[in-house]
Short mmCIF file of all heavy atoms in Angstrom, two decimals:
data_model
loop_
_atom_site.label_atom_id
_atom_site.label_comp_id
_atom_site.label_asym_id
_atom_site.label_seq_id
_atom_site.Cartn_x
_atom_site.Cartn_y
_atom_site.Cartn_z
N SER A 42 142.18 149.03 351.29
CA SER A 42 141.87 148.74 352.69
C SER A 42 142.47 147.39 353.09
O SER A 42 142.87 146.59 352.25
CB SER A 42 140.37 148.71 352.88
OG SER A 42 139.81 147.76 352.00
N GLY A 43 142.49 147.15 354.42
CA GLY A 43 142.92 145.85 354.93
C GLY A 43 144.35 145.52 354.58
O GLY A 43 145.23 146.38 354.62
N HIS A 44 144.59 144.32 354.17
CA HIS A 44 145.92 143.80 353.90
C HIS A 44 146.63 144.63 352.83
O HIS A 44 147.81 144.93 352.92
CB HIS A 44 145.80 142.35 353.44
CG HIS A 44 147.11 141.79 352.96
ND1 HIS A 44 148.12 141.47 353.83
CD2 HIS A 44 147.58 141.55 351.70
CE1 HIS A 44 149.15 141.02 353.12
NE2 HIS A 44 148.84 141.06 351.84
N ASP A 45 145.88 145.02 351.80
CA ASP A 45 146.42 145.77 350.68
C ASP A 45 147.07 147.07 351.16
O ASP A 45 148.17 147.41 350.74
CB ASP A 45 145.28 146.07 349.72
CG ASP A 45 145.79 146.30 348.31
OD1 ASP A 45 146.88 145.79 347.96
OD2 ASP A 45 145.11 147.01 347.58
N LEU A 46 146.39 147.77 352.05
CA LEU A 46 146.90 149.05 352.56
C LEU A 46 148.17 148.82 353.38
O LEU A 46 149.17 149.53 353.23
CB LEU A 46 145.83 149.75 353.42
CG LEU A 46 146.27 151.07 354.05
CD1 LEU A 46 146.64 152.09 352.99
CD2 LEU A 46 145.20 151.62 354.96
N THR A 47 148.16 147.80 354.22
CA THR A 47 149.34 147.51 355.06
C THR A 47 150.54 147.21 354.17
O THR A 47 151.63 147.73 354.38
CB THR A 47 149.05 146.27 355.95
OG1 THR A 47 147.80 146.47 356.56
CG2 THR A 47 150.11 146.09 357.00
N ARG A 48 150.32 146.39 353.17
CA ARG A 48 151.40 146.02 352.27
C ARG A 48 151.90 147.24 351.49
O ARG A 48 153.09 147.43 351.27
CB ARG A 48 150.88 144.92 351.31
CG ARG A 48 151.89 144.44 350.31
CD ARG A 48 153.05 143.72 350.97
NE ARG A 48 154.08 143.40 349.99
CZ ARG A 48 155.38 143.45 350.23
NH1 ARG A 48 155.81 143.79 351.43
NH2 ARG A 48 156.24 143.14 349.29
N TRP A 49 150.93 148.05 351.08
CA TRP A 49 151.28 149.26 350.33
C TRP A 49 152.15 150.19 351.18
O TRP A 49 153.17 150.72 350.73
CB TRP A 49 150.00 149.97 349.88
CG TRP A 49 150.23 151.20 349.06
CD1 TRP A 49 150.66 151.27 347.78
CD2 TRP A 49 150.07 152.56 349.50
NE1 TRP A 49 150.76 152.58 347.37
CE2 TRP A 49 150.41 153.38 348.41
CE3 TRP A 49 149.68 153.15 350.71
CZ2 TRP A 49 150.37 154.77 348.50
CZ3 TRP A 49 149.62 154.52 350.78
CH2 TRP A 49 149.97 155.32 349.68
N LEU A 50 151.76 150.35 352.45
CA LEU A 50 152.54 151.20 353.36
C LEU A 50 153.94 150.62 353.57
O LEU A 50 154.92 151.35 353.63
CB LEU A 50 151.81 151.35 354.71
CG LEU A 50 150.58 152.27 354.67
CD1 LEU A 50 149.83 152.19 356.00
CD2 LEU A 50 150.98 153.71 354.40
N GLN A 51 154.00 149.29 353.66
CA GLN A 51 155.31 148.63 353.80
C GLN A 51 156.22 148.98 352.62
O GLN A 51 157.38 149.33 352.78
CB GLN A 51 155.14 147.10 353.81
CG GLN A 51 154.95 146.49 355.16
CD GLN A 51 154.66 145.00 355.03
OE1 GLN A 51 154.59 144.45 353.94
NE2 GLN A 51 154.49 144.34 356.17
N GLN A 52 155.63 148.86 351.43
CA GLN A 52 156.41 149.13 350.21
C GLN A 52 156.87 150.59 350.18
O GLN A 52 158.03 150.88 349.89
CB GLN A 52 155.57 148.84 348.96
CG GLN A 52 155.38 147.37 348.71
CD GLN A 52 155.23 147.08 347.20
OE1 GLN A 52 155.69 147.85 346.38
NE2 GLN A 52 154.59 145.98 346.88
N VAL A 53 155.95 151.49 350.49
CA VAL A 53 156.28 152.93 350.45
C VAL A 53 157.36 153.24 351.48
O VAL A 53 158.31 153.98 351.21
CB VAL A 53 155.02 153.79 350.69
CG1 VAL A 53 155.38 155.24 350.92
CG2 VAL A 53 154.06 153.66 349.52
N HIS A 54 157.24 152.62 352.66
CA HIS A 54 158.22 152.84 353.72
C HIS A 54 159.60 152.38 353.25
O HIS A 54 160.60 153.07 353.45
CB HIS A 54 157.79 152.07 354.96
CG HIS A 54 158.72 152.27 356.12
ND1 HIS A 54 158.79 153.46 356.81
CD2 HIS A 54 159.64 151.44 356.68
CE1 HIS A 54 159.72 153.35 357.74
NE2 HIS A 54 160.24 152.15 357.69
N ARG A 55 159.63 151.22 352.59
CA ARG A 55 160.91 150.65 352.15
C ARG A 55 161.55 151.51 351.06
O ARG A 55 162.77 151.53 350.90
CB ARG A 55 160.67 149.24 351.64
CG ARG A 55 161.88 148.35 351.81
CD ARG A 55 161.59 146.94 351.36
NE ARG A 55 160.94 146.92 350.07
CZ ARG A 55 160.28 145.88 349.58
NH1 ARG A 55 160.15 144.81 350.31
NH2 ARG A 55 159.73 145.91 348.38
N LEU A 56 160.72 152.23 350.30
CA LEU A 56 161.27 153.06 349.22
C LEU A 56 162.03 154.27 349.75
O LEU A 56 162.87 154.83 349.05
CB LEU A 56 160.14 153.55 348.31
CG LEU A 56 159.50 152.49 347.43
CD1 LEU A 56 158.32 153.07 346.68
CD2 LEU A 56 160.51 151.91 346.46
#
Side-chain angles (χ1 to χ4, degrees):
S42 57
H44 172 73
D45 204 25
L46 178 61
T47 312
R48 179 66 186 143
W49 182 73
L50 286 172
Q51 269 175 359
Q52 286 210 24
V53 169
H54 182 71
R55 208 177 48 198
L56 289 175

